[in-house]
């Protein structure tokens, strides 16, 4: 309520009345004295009783004379020093006037005359010098002080400010004579009321307000008075919304008088009251108010048009002459800025008065543009050069000013259909009235004659200024937003030009520019060259050249294509050139004629390329403004890398003088930071070069040459593939966006008969031995046009919709491609051989796409000539079938949209209803989003109590080569990921260069991880068949090329390397994409009795299996080993039945349930892998084997499956290291590449058993289990110690091998025999985790009893430790003591803080296991493992993996403790413990089976930290001796 209270009402009544009276007197006094023109005496009531005869000579400022002129004039008149003259001139410039002399009237008048006539310079008007009585000067100075005091006073009170506003704007203030004392005599002394303001009766003057007087007197007061009055308005009236509204209305009413006074004034615009227009006209509400209620838009434009009358010729066109003074015309152009301000904000709601007044202004704009249409027309000079250069700059300056707001008019029209229709009708009528009727002539090129407008550009006047035509083009682009066309009923009642007449003026302009480029207008001087330059420049082309192109595209979309081409060729004088008899005609007498014809043909083909290819205009193509800007930036950077300022200057600006560069440039360019003498530059991204078009219509000829040279240099410096080089060197046309529906008819231009005749003519003349009308640019542009047609045909074919384009068939019938093939080895085509080759290959690819839907990238030269065209009947049948399919898809899409709308309308109902109809996302989406699950329950991945995995729908993937979508199935067509397998030392803890990889057992990775096999993928998916054809084509091309001609590539084909077809990422194999393991795994171990099998019984059964296994020695011929002397021992376990006979009855029954798949005889038949899946499994396994072991391929080698398992484990460990080093959550930061890689890798490693020998897999499983379960005394000779191997790698291999332990050797393993996350996996994890904890405990003894406890404050820790933690620490120290006892070392060992140390050291193992089993089971992990800040990560992972988080529970089982005692009797363990107790920090390696003991916890390998400032390092290096 307080905010709505009038501030004036808060003032006391008496104070309000007295203040109002005082303000009235003060303002009246200020106005009277500032406008007082009787300089010899003051007003009667202010005159002194004793009149003084002292006078002042005042020099006034103007913007005509320079400092030097004023100083020299003062030197001569006053005989003053240079310093005094400079001080006078400075004061005049700063304050607007200065007293240069105080003396008698006679002396002052003499000085005034001298200063006025001593101005240096010809045609200089005299300086303004006045002689004024000292009293008048004093009163004027006091009025200025009083004005400043009022401003200061009102700053202290909002009420006084509003009261002052009311006084200033109160009308009829002169009628209050009792308060203001203004009578008729006094009014006659006010100059504004006579010479500047109005020539109105006295009674009309009395209705003026003080604000009116301030406005109208603005041009006669000096600079300082103007500035203070403007500050008064801005500090009071423009700060209050209501006062600002009234101020703007007063400003609008006085606008004609204000602008007229400003035009005659000599001060800058910033010193005028007109400079405040930006303060009010840019406010949306005020601008719409003034347009709607006061017709402000029409008022401004009509005032400007009125001041242009003097520059009209009798024909109504503007004509600007040389040596004419255009100062007033330039000042009048400030009104055009006011038009821009008024249109800054588009209206969201329209009223009838707003529509009418806006269209009133639009009509006056059309009158203005009509005066500009056709101005400064030029005629080609033939006989002699022009005598003098005509005036052209004024017209272009006017165009630039008007071009500021023309797009704003279009934006306003785009918001209302009624406004657009009426504006379009008005524009068409204006264009019709300007151009009138044309003379037509009949031209015959084909079967039917065409009526063409008879106008010869080479002999008749042509103008480059066509604003009305271009405005029509801009309005036409808006019609599609309201489903309107040129022939809509809304425009039937209008006299409008035909499409041919519509484009006539723009076509003339294009032809004139083409003839100028051909050298036909050389005698017209530089004025024409300057106009053509500005026509293409970034400042003018948006409203000139671009609009002309759009207008031609509009006409082309409305005319038959053949007729349109005939009209163009007639205007270019090329109808004779197209005839076959042209070459046989006798040559013309002048050689220039031939050269001009060749150049005109090139320009004509260039225009066709522009018309068909330039679709980056909203309304012409299906693009946005951001797409257009992005393309502009790409083509500018194709010329050369540019600095920010250069790039900004090369881009067009919007109405706010912004380019939008910052919003788009990061998408297409990298910024190279400045270095020393090199400035910062934007460099185009490699993937954006595909957008490059050598015939980009904003390129000048020099820009085009520079950009093509840049492409050639890029090809030389970058070692891309042969196809990429061919593409870059040939510079083929890029794939343009689709046309908007109303412009889609332009595509018919590509395959019309006359276009094909033009192409055939150029190609045939290129093949001629002697021809006088051919040039290489003609061939290049025709090839470019053919490439554009092929792109259009390909888009139509891939869209699987019947369209009007039949270029392939019609071009073949016309012999186009036959002529192209004949030019392959022709010498006249050698410079464009790359482009020609690209055209032929693209043609073959699209032909194959027509016939067999083969992707373009798989087409090779070997099959180009072997494919035949399909019959027309078959084609029609396919078209009908495709139309039916499209119709069905459209109906399904409509149904889907209706369902979505129904769900949106009933969102609340659906949110409160649980349903099973929610669509399941893809696997990658689940993996990315599963960690954001809202489920608060505990997720368990292993064991009989594990959480049920989400049921996934059949997944689908799209091939990047053929663009077909295929279901991901194990028994169907296989999809693959491009992958790169490499040997890596990224996880190495101890780098030992002397150790060779062949010395390490492939099955057991050393704990120090000196070398591993890493697999990565870019995530791009392909059909296996598509990839194979793609890879074969690369190999074939490399083999066919002579060695001496081969260039260095970024990949080695001999190593099976290739680049991903999409992202060009280096790859050397592929990984098959398989369905989730949860959909393949058999339901084993899920019965109720299986849960009754304890860990001890499970371990006992496996111990009996391992201990009863028998060795089987195989030779190199049986194993596929590299060396003939290499032997391998395989272990053959007993059958499941034999093992169960050694167990108790109830234990045997439950144990059999865990391996029930052994008796499932139908599993193999029901779940076989397809041949393609098997082949890709073998492909990847061989890559992992050969690269990982650096050996030759051996498909039957027993180490092949082990290599696949180990690369899976190594890749998981590397990803976990990366997440840990970046301090990212375990499951919340996987990239899409990591997700794709782990999904494919884990599933492939699980299914690899299907393509491996069962006997080898059983032996591998026994060997892996024997590390922890075999109690034979000779095990140390064959099996490494658990202390020296990486137990996570061993865990992964055992999980994948265990399903084959009891499989029948005579049968192929079923696909269903894969890890399922059941009791087997849970028990395996428990076993290996126990071993890892023991590993950590033993490594902690290296520092004896200190461990991590040395760094802790023991006393404080004892206070904080709970009973549970004491029990845990006691248990671990007890286990450690047991380790020493069984190792034969009698000592008391206790590590302080052992629980925290073991948990920290064991966490990497648990994190890797969590990642592994997550991708095995597809069970969502707990939410806190995806959070950025993880609390109780150890407990959460243990819960997820069904492990006991308490060490007491972990070591509670007697069987576990018994295993620990057996492990500690290994010679490596006893040797390590003995050395540790003796204080040897560097324990020697035990060479039982190789390896090295690693100290835990393991730290992540990091690069050396480099200093941010290298100056200190450089100084040290400089002083080094």
């Amino acid at each position: 309520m307080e905010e709505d209270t009038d501030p004036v009402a808060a003032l006391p009544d008496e104070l309000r009345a007295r203040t109002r009276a005082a303000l009235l007197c003060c303002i009246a006094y200020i106005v009277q004295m500032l406008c007082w023109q009787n300089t010899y005496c003051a007003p009667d009531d202010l005159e002194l009783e004793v009149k003084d005869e002292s006078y002042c000579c005042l020099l006034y400022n103007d913007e005509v004379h320079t400092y030097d002129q004023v100083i020299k004039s003062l030197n001569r008149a006053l005989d003053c020093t240079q310093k005094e003259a400079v001080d006078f001139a400075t004061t005049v410039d700063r304050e607007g006037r200065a007293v240069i002399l105080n003396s008698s009237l006679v002396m002052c008048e003499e000085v005034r005359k001298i200063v006025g006539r001593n101005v240096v310079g010809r045609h200089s008007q005299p300086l303004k010098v006045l002689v004024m009585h000292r009293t008048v000067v004093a009163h004027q100075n006091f009025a200025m002080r009083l004005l400043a005091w009022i401003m200061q006073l009102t700053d202290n009170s909002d009420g006084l400010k509003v009261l002052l506003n009311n006084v200033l704007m109160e009308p009829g203030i002169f009628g209050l004579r009792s308060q203001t004392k203004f009578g008729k005599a006094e009014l006659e002394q006010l100059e504004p009321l006579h010479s500047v303001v109005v020539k109105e009766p006295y009674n009309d003057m009395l209705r003026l307000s003080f604000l009116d007087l301030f406005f109208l007197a603005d041009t006669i007061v000096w600079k300082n008075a103007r500035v203070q009055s403007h500050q008064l308005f801005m500090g009071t009236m423009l700060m209050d919304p209501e006062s600002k509204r009234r101020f703007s209305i007063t400003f609008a009413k006085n606008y004609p008088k204000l602008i007229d006074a400003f035009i005659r004034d000599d001060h800058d615009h910033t010193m005028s009251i007109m400079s405040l227009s930006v303060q009010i006209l840019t406010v949306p509400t005020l601008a719409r108010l003034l347009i709607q209620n006061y017709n402000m838009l029409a008022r401004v434009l009509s005032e400007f048009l009125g001041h242009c009358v003097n520059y009209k010729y009798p024909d109504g066109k503007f004509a600007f002459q040389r040596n004419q003074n255009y100062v007033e015309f330039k000042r009048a152009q400030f009104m055009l800025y006011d038009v821009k301000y008024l249109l800054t904000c588009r209206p969201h709601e329209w009223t009838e008065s707003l529509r009418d007044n806006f269209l009133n202004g639009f009509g006056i704009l059309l009158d203005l543009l009509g005066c500009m249409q056709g101005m400064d027309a030029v005629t080609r000079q033939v006989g002699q050069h022009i005598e003098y250069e005509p005036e052209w700059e004024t017209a272009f300056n006017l165009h630039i000013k008007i071009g500021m707001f023309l797009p704003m008019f279009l934006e306003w029209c785009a918001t209302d259909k009624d406004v657009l229709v009426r504006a379009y009708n008005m524009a068409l009528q204006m264009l019709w009235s300007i151009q009138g009727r044309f003379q037509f002539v009949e031209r015959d090129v084909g079967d039917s004659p065409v009526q063409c407008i008879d106008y010869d550009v080479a002999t008749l006047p042509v103008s480059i200024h066509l604003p009305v035509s271009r405005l029509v083009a801009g309005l036409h682009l808006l019609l599609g937003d309201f489903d309107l066309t040129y022939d809509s009923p809304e425009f039937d009642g209008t006299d409008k030009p035909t499409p041919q007449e519509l484009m006539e003026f723009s076509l003339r302009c294009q032809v004139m520019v083409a003839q100028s480029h051909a050298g036909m207008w050389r005698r017209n001087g530089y004025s024409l060259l300057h106009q053509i330059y500005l026509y293409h420049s970034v400042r003018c082309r948006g409203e000139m050249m671009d609009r002309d192109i759009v207008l031609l595209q509009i006409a082309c979309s409305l005319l038959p294509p053949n007729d349109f081409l005939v009209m163009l060729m007639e205007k270019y004088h090329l109808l004779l050139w197209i005839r076959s008899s042209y070459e046989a005609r006798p040559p013309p007498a002048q050689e220039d004629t031939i050269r001009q014809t060749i150049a005109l043909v090139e320009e004509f083909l260039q225009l066709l390329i522009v018309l068909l290819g330039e679709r980056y205009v909203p309304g012409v193509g299906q693009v946005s403004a951001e797409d257009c800007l992005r393309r502009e930036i790409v083509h500018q950077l194709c010329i050369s890398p540019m600095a920010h300022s250069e790039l900004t200057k090369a881009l067009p600006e919007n109405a706010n003088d912004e380019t939008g560069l910052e919003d788009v440039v990061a998408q297409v360019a990298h910024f190279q930071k400045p270095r020393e003498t090199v400035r910062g530059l934007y460099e185009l991204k490699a993937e954006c070069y595909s957008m490059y078009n050598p015939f980009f219509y904003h390129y000048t000829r020099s820009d085009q040459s520079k950009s093509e040279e840049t492409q050639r240099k890029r090809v030389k410096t970058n070692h891309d593939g042969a196809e990429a080089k061919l593409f870059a060197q040939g510079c083929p046309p890029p794939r343009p966006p689709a046309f908007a529906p109303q412009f889609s008819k332009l595509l018919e231009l590509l395959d019309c008969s006359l276009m094909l005749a033009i192409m055939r003519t150029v190609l045939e003349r290129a093949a001629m031995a002697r021809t006088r009308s051919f040039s290489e640019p003609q061939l290049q542009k025709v090839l470019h046009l053919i490439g554009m047609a092929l792109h259009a045909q390909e888009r139509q074919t891939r869209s699987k919709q019947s369209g009007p384009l039949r270029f392939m068939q019609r071009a073949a019938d016309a012999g186009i491609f036959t002529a192209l093939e004949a030019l392959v080895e022709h010498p006249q085509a050698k410079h464009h051989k790359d482009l020609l080759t690209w055209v032929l290959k693209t043609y073959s690819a699209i032909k194959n796409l027509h016939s067999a839907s083969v992707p373009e990238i798989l087409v090779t030269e070997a099959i180009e000539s072997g494919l035949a065209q399909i019959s027309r009947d078959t084609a029609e049948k396919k078209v009908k079938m495709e139309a039916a399919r499209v119709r069905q898809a459209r109906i399904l899409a409509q149904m889907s949209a209706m369902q979505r709308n129904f769900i949106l309308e009933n969102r609340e109902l659906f949110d409160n209803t649980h349903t099973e109809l929610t669509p399941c996302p893809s696997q990658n989406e689940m993996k990315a989003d599963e960690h954001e699950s809202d489920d608060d329950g505990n997720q368990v991945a292993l064991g009989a109590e594990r959480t049920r995995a989400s049921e996934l729908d059949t997944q689908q993937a799209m091939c990047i080569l053929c663009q077909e979508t295929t279901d991901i199935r194990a028994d169907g067509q296989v999809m693959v990921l491009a992958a790169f397998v490499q040997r890596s030392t990224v996880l190495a803890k101890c780098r030992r260069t002397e150790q060779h990889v062949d010395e390490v057992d492939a099955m057991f990775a050393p704990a120090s991880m000196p070398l591993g096999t890493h697999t990565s993928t870019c995530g791009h998916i392909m059909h296996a068949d598509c990839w194979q054809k793609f890879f074969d084509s690369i190999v074939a091309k490399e083999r066919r090329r002579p060695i001496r001609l081969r260039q260095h590539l970024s990949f080695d084909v001999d190593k099976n390397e290739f680049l991903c077809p999409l992202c060009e990422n280096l790859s050397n194999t592929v990984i098959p994409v398989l369905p989730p393991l949860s959909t393949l795994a058999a339901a084993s171990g899920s019965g109720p009795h299986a849960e009754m099998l304890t860990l001890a019984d499970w371990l006992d059964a496996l111990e009996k299996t391992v201990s009863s296994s028998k060795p089987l020695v195989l030779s190199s011929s049986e194993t596929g080993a590299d060396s003939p002397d290499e032997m391998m021992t395989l272990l053959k376990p007993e059958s499941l039945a034999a093992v169960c006979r050694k167990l108790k009855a109830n234990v045997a029954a439950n144990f059999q349930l865990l391996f029930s798949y052994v008796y499932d005889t139908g599993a193999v038949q029901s779940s076989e892998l397809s041949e393609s899946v098997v082949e890709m499994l073998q492909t990847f396994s061989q890559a992992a084997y050969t690269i990982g072991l650096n050996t030759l391929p051996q498909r039957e080698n027993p180490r092949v499956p082990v290599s696949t398992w180990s690369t899976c484990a190594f890749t998981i460990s590397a990803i976990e290291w990366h997440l840990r080093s970046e301090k990212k959550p375990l499951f919340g930061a996987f990239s899409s590449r990591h997700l794709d890689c782990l999904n494919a890798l884990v599933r492939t490693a699980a299914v690899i058993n299907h393509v491996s020998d069962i006997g080898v897999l059983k032996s591998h499983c026994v060997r892996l289990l024997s590390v922890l379960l075999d109690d034979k005394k000779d095990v140390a000779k064959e099996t490494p110690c658990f202390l020296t191997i990486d137990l996570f790698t061993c865990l992964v291999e055992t999980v994948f091998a265990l399903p084959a332990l009891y499989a029948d050797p005579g049968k192929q393993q079923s696909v269903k025999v894969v890890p399922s996350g059941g009791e087997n996996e849970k028990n395996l994890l428990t076993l290996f985790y126990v071993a890892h904890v023991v590993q950590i405990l033993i490594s902690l003894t290296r520092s004896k009893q200190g461990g991590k406890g040395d760094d802790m404050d023991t006393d404080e820790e004892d206070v904080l430790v709970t009973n549970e933690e004491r029990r845990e620490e006691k248990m671990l120290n007890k286990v450690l003591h047991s380790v020493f006892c069984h190792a034969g070392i009698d000592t008391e060992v206790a590590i302080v803080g052992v629980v925290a140390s073991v948990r920290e050291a064991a966490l990497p193992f648990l994190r890797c296991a969590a990642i592994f089993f997550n991708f095995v089971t597809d069970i969502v992990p707990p939410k806190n493992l995806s959070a950025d800040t993880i609390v109780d990560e150890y407990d959460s992972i243990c819960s997820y993996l069904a492990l006991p988080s308490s060490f007491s529970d972990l070591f509670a089982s007697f069987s576990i403790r018994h295993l620990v005692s057996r492990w500690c009797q290994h010679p490596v363990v006893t040797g390590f413990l003995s050395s540790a107790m003796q204080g040897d920090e560097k324990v020697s390696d035990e060479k039982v089976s190789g390896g090295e003991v690693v100290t835990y916890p393991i730290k992540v390998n990091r690069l050396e930290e480099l200093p941010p400032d290298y100056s200190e390092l450089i100084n040290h290096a400089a002083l080094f001796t």
Side-chain angles (χ1 to χ4, degrees), residues 1171-1185:
E1171 294 183 1
S1172 59
V1173 173
V1174 172
E1175 182 180 358
M1176 291 300 106
L1177 287 172
Q1178 293 173 343
T1179 298
F1180 176 74
S1181 62
Q1182 283 298 302
Y1185 167 70

Side-chain angles (χ1 to χ4, degrees), residues 638-640 692 694 702-716 728 731:
C638 281
I639 302 174
S640 66
Y692 169 68
S702 62
D703 290 340
Q704 182 179 351
S705 300
K706 290 178 183 177
S707 62
E708 291 179 342
E709 182 64 25
T710 300
Q711 299 303 306
R712 285 190 289 269
K713 290 181 180 178
R714 186 174 64 89
V715 172
K716 292 179 181 179
C731 296

Side-chain angles (χ1 to χ4, degrees), residues 143-180:
M144 294 291 296
R145 298 286 184 91
L146 188 60
L147 186 61
W149 175 78
I150 292 176
M151 292 172 55
Q152 184 179 3
L153 179 67
T154 55
D155 287 340
N156 299 324
S157 172
D158 291 337
L160 295 179
K161 190 176 296 184
V162 175
L163 195 59
L164 174 63
N165 295 341
N166 294 336
V167 169
L168 287 173
M169 290 184 291
E170 185 173 348
I173 198 67
F174 285 125
L176 304 175
R177 299 185 183 179
S178 60
Q179 295 178 342
T180 62

